[in-house]
């Protein structure tokens, strides 16, 4: 399953993404888990237990976009070159696919283990990007990876997304089986929920609300009143989380029982989602066609919708190259 964490800036989505990833990894199957930091602020590594210097030294997906494209292109005859690939280019016959738990050359180059979790990071703005580059050009590396990534039973991808509705600047928001929207019991946080779900529902994106920084029954009642049945569970104020914010990362088993139960509820909701590979492929093709028409065709000087393989559907049974 693939899941994303979204919400208002400061709502705690990165903290919850890290908690959830650590929760999934704690059952002894970390090779079947991949976490990705697609937030412009790049805090997931530290939330997983890295010190700031370690986090800053991680290889950035956004800096290796050409390498990623060349790897994923494989022998796909519809793609003339890596340079012809957009962030939305979908896989087809001959593309090199990636398995969540299988080692490959991209993992060797771009993925590191942090706090017991495999982690890839989009990377921050570089000096040359300031004032001239859009962050979505970097996040495009994540969209390409997810378009070519096969997740099978018992395998998870956890993505920490950009704050607010900024995720809708690309088709990345459709790449998940379930999106966890982290919502504080505040009017502003609920406002982001309404904006996000207003866009998401039009595309059939599943959203579950996870309350955060909940202190009492009044906070729960407020969230229920505002988001209704979308409220899945909530995380209360946590000494465990506070210790992590002070740089002390305790074993995940020390998390408060009620908060650990909430993580279990989230996992059950994610596991309960029905996988629809055909829809996944159709959405990828749709957003690729949109990007090709909007700017890609003009840049490439050719019709990039020809990259769409109408007979190809990503699924666990798909052939995955071993390197």
């Amino acid at each position: 399953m693939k899941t994303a964490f979204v919400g208002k800036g400061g709502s705690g989505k990165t903290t919850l993404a890290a908690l959830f990833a650590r929760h999934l990894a704690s059952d002894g199957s970390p090779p079947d888990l991949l976490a990705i930091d697609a937030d412009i602020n790049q805090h997931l590594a530290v939330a997983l237990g890295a010190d700031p210097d370690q986090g800053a030294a991680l290889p950035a997906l956004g800096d290796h976009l050409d390498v990623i494209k060349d790897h994923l292109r494989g022998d796909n005859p519809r793609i003339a070159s890596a340079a012809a690939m957009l962030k939305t280019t979908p896989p087809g016959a001959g593309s090199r696919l990636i398995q969540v738990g299988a080692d490959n050359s991209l993992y060797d180059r771009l993925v590191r283990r942090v706090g017991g979790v495999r982690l890839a990071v989009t990377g921050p703005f570089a000096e040359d990007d300031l004032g001239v580059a859009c962050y979505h050009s970097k996040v495009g590396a994540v969209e390409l990876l997810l378009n070519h990534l096969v997740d099978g039973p018992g395998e998870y991808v956890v993505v920490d997304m950009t704050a607010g509705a900024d995720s809708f600047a690309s088709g990345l928001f459709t790449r998940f089986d379930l999106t966890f929207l982290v919502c504080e019991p505040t009017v502003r946080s609920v406002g982001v929920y309404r904006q996000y779900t207003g866009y998401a529902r039009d595309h059939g994106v599943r959203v579950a609300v996870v309350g955060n920084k909940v202190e009492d029954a009044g906070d729960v009642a407020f969230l229920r009143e505002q988001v209704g049945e979308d409220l899945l569970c909530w995380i209360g104020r946590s000494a465990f989380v506070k210790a992590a914010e002070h740089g002390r990362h305790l074993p995940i088993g020390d998390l408060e029982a009620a908060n650990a139960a909430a993580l279990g509820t989230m996992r059950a909701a994610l596991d309960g989602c029905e996988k629809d590979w055909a829809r996944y492929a159709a959405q990828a093709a749709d957003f690729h066609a949109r990007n090709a028409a909007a700017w890609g065709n003009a840049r490439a000087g050719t019709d990039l919708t020809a990259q769409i393989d109408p007979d190809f559907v990503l699924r666990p049974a798909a052939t995955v190259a071993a390197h």
Side-chain angles (χ1 to χ4, degrees), residues 13-317:
K13 64 179 183 59
T14 299
T15 297
L16 263 65
L19 284 176
F20 191 62
R22 293 184 65 194
H23 169 76
L24 293 174
S26 67
D27 69 357
S29 57
D32 298 328
L33 168 68
L34 175 65
I36 302 176
D37 192 345
D39 187 357
I40 192 171
N41 293 310
Q42 298 290 282
H43 293 317
L44 186 57
V46 173
L48 286 170
D51 65 46
D53 289 340
Q54 287 176 311
L58 292 172
L61 298 176
D63 293 342
H64 296 83
L65 189 54
D66 290 342
V67 172
I68 293 170
K69 288 179 176 180
D70 193 56
H71 180 91
L72 298 178
R73 182 170 67 98
D75 319 350
N76 188 333
R78 293 175 175 272
I79 304 173
S81 67
M85 294 178 73
L86 305 184
K87 61 182 181 179
T88 53
T89 296
S95 294
R96 185 178 285 118
L97 307 180
I98 298 174
Q99 292 174 301
V100 175
D103 290 327
N104 59 75
S105 61
L106 283 186
Y107 275 15
D108 292 342
R109 186 162 186 168
L110 299 172
V111 176
R112 299 292 181 267
R113 193 172 296 281
V114 177
V117 174
R118 265 182 172 155
L119 174 67
V121 302
T122 303
F125 277 116
E127 184 67 29
D128 292 344
D129 298 326
L130 298 179
V132 296
C134 171
Y135 188 68
H136 299 104
S137 63
K138 295 180 178 292
V139 177
V142 179
E143 189 167 357
L144 268 174
L145 285 176
L146 294 185
N147 276 347
H148 292 75
L149 192 147
V150 180
D151 48 307
E155 296 181 329
Y156 300 91
V157 181
V158 177
V159 181
D160 182 24
M161 297 280 280
T162 53
D166 198 45
S167 306
F168 292 96
S170 74
L172 185 56
F173 74 97
T174 66
R175 303 295 80 196
F176 307 103
D177 300 291
L178 180 63
T179 296
F180 291 118
L181 194 152
V182 181
C183 190
E184 300 167 274
T186 67
V187 171
R188 285 182 297 170
S189 198
V190 168
V192 170
Y193 154 79
R194 289 178 177 152
Q195 183 183 31
Y196 196 98
T197 54
Y199 292 133
R201 302 299 189 207
D202 291 340
H203 295 274
V205 173
R206 299 187 188 100
V207 177
V209 173
V210 178
N212 194 32
K213 305 176 187 177
V214 171
E215 295 187 347
D216 53 34
D219 286 342
V220 176
F222 173 83
L223 287 172
R224 285 198 188 282
E225 178 185 358
Q226 298 296 321
V227 309
E229 295 182 355
D230 283 344
L231 182 62
L232 176 67
C233 59
W234 55 89
I235 302 290
R237 292 287 184 177
S238 170
F240 179 95
V241 171
K242 188 172 184 179
E245 291 173 346
H246 290 170
R248 293 188 298 110
H249 293 272
L250 305 174
I252 191 66
D254 290 352
L255 183 65
E256 298 84 0
N259 291 334
L263 295 179
T265 298
M266 293 164 64
R267 181 174 187 171
L270 181 59
D271 288 344
C273 292
E274 182 179 350
K275 201 81 174 177
D276 190 343
W277 287 111
R279 181 179 187 175
Y280 195 79
Q283 288 176 324
D286 176 43
F287 278 94
H288 181 63
R290 293 187 191 196
N291 278 267
W295 60 275
N297 291 345
R299 189 191 72 175
T302 188
D303 181 8
L304 296 181
T305 61
Q307 294 178 345
I308 299 171
D309 185 340
D311 299 319
F312 186 87
V313 174
L314 197 68
R315 54 172 56 92

